Amino acid sequence: MSMQYSRRHFLRAALAGGGILGAASLLSVFPAASALALTRGAVAEDAVPFTRTALFMGTLVTISVAQCSGAQASEGIERAFALGRRMEGVFTRFADDSPLGTANRAGSLSDVPPELTGLLEISLQMHRLTDGAFDPTVLPVLRLFENSRAGAAPSLAETREALELVGVNRLHVGGNRLRFDRQGMALTLDGIAKGHIADAMSRELAAAGCPNHCINAGGDIAVRGSKAGGTPWRVAVEDPGKRSMFPQVIDMTTGGVATSGIYEVFYDAAHDHSHLINPATGQDAAEASVTVAAPDCRTADALATALSVMPPRDALALMDEMPGCACCLVRRDGLIQTSRRWPGRPA
């Protein structure tokens, strides 16, 4: 990718109104009246009449539509699910015949779908914005841990060898072609694609005449509008250490929120190594969980992934710089830290 822009460039673009084009886990959507007796992703029927759940993107995806007729809600939800499933086929790394699967296997790809090129460009923007903490080329290190799930953690020598295959400077994307400089390099969009797809599904729902809705893609949440009577959507952040059920809640009418945490996936029996890998060191996340609220779910998804491996001071400083974005860090010792514009409050 030949574009060379600094973090300051993207912050200026956002302040000018263009926005930042934009990992997720345990977030729950509640009716604003009460957060009691509801399981993850559940929504009270009196507050949201039309709710449907489907399994794809490796998770449960729930769409809730308010202030809309049953027929219109049903049509909008079906359109949104169809779009989401089609987009999953473009961005997944788990299918050998997908564009990303083909590129990772062969080391290059011709006729790259424009959707994939666009999301890769955004991913590289996020890489620059986070000083490399978000890196779509980290898959060789991630695979190393995935393959050792049943046994011992990778050795330092193995980790160093895998890190030699990480680096966006060795990825070339131009026109409709994609190429890696080194054999063994590979891409993952796991830290951004789910939020990107949730945003697209939200736009599809609005186009179908369902402007008031909430999409919960396994914890990557995109909301628009409100529930009955103008009540905002309420999103609760779960405590990764299970010291309290919901340490923070956010009332939302527009935007996205996502959480990344070390409690989601572990690669060893002792739970010492999580799926959140620092692309610079090969080590896992610094904090127990990071929740990001942003103007869109794609931005929230990517930033939650990146901030998880950044020092807390740097993570908070970045969020204070970015217009419309904020974060909540839950540290391993249970301490909660928030950036200046964090919209949440204790439950």
Side-chain angles (χ1 to χ4, degrees):
M1 184 65 61
S2 61
M3 297 170 61
Q4 296 294 327
Y5 295 124
S6 66
R7 174 190 295 181
R8 183 170 297 177
H9 170 89
F10 291 109
L11 294 176
R12 280 204 308 269
L15 288 167
I20 302 293
L21 296 176
S25 62
L26 298 182
L27 291 171
S28 298
V29 182
F30 293 151
S34 172
L36 299 177
L38 289 174
T39 60
R40 176 187 176 197
V43 183
E45 291 186 2
D46 59 344
V48 183
F50 307 107
T51 299
R52 195 171 301 169
T53 299
L55 177 62
F56 65 105
M57 295 194 290
T59 190
L60 292 175
V61 181
T62 298
I63 298 177
S64 300
V65 174
Q67 305 183 55
C68 192
S69 71
Q72 197 162 30
S74 180
E75 179 185 354
I77 289 171
E78 286 304 314
R79 283 173 53 174
F81 277 143
L83 175 64
R85 289 189 178 96
R86 184 191 66 76
M87 293 179 70
E88 178 190 21
V90 175
F91 301 127
T92 183
R93 66 177 173 95
F94 296 102
D96 287 342
D97 59 349
S98 71
L100 208 56
T102 301
N104 288 342
R105 187 178 66 255
S108 64
L109 182 66
S110 301
D111 299 323
V112 179
E115 286 176 297
L116 180 55
T117 299
L119 191 55
L120 284 172
E121 290 174 349
I122 293 163
S123 296
L124 295 179
Q125 291 175 11
M126 280 292 172
H127 176 83
R128 291 185 285 270
L129 183 69
T130 61
D131 289 335
F134 184 88
D135 194 326
T137 67
V138 75
L139 186 55
V141 181
L142 189 59
R143 281 176 170 170
L144 186 65
F145 281 90
E146 288 175 347
N147 292 336
S148 67
R149 184 190 300 265
S155 67
L156 290 177
E158 290 172 321
T159 302
R160 283 196 294 266
E161 184 177 352
L163 284 170
E164 289 296 317
L165 300 173
V166 176
V168 297
N169 59 314
R170 303 187 187 105
L171 166 67
H172 304 279
V173 182
N176 64 345
R177 297 185 63 84
L178 180 160
R179 178 177 59 82
F180 301 120
D181 273 351
R182 294 190 179 186
Q183 185 178 2
M185 291 184 66
L187 285 168
T188 174
L189 294 174
D190 293 355
I192 192 171
K194 194 145 55 97
H196 178 70
I197 292 172
D199 285 335
M201 292 171 64
S202 176
R203 291 190 293 271
E204 187 71 12
L205 281 165
C210 304
N212 300 286
H213 58 258
C214 173
I215 300 169
N216 185 349
D220 284 10
I221 296 173
V223 305
R224 186 179 297 203
S226 60
K227 293 180 287 188
T231 303
W233 302 95
R234 176 164 291 180
V235 177
V237 180
E238 296 189 25
D239 180 4
K242 306 303 180 185
R243 288 168 288 262
S244 62
M245 184 172 286
F246 305 111
Q248 292 279 303
V249 294
I250 313 170
D251 289 336
M252 300 179 64
T253 55
T254 301
V257 61
T259 294
S260 286
I262 62 172
Y263 46 82
E264 297 171 326
V265 179
F266 291 97
Y267 296 134
D268 64 324
H271 288 191
D272 291 329
H273 299 283
S274 79
H275 71 298
L276 294 165
I277 301 298
N278 187 325
T281 66
Q283 303 302 308
D284 66 354
E287 299 307 321
S289 77
V290 175
T291 300
V292 173
D296 57 82
C297 194
R298 177 175 61 197
T299 298
D301 191 5
L303 288 175
T305 301
L307 267 57
S308 295
V309 300
M310 294 172 65
R313 180 180 299 178
D314 295 346
L316 294 168
L318 176 58
M319 291 298 91
D320 286 340
E321 291 180 34
M322 291 187 61
C325 296
C327 72
C328 173
L329 312 181
V330 181
R331 293 174 32 157
R332 293 175 188 252
D333 60 8
L335 178 67
I336 295 176
Q337 294 178 286
T338 61
S339 60
R340 286 200 302 262
R341 290 184 297 270
W342 173 247
R345 65 184 188 280

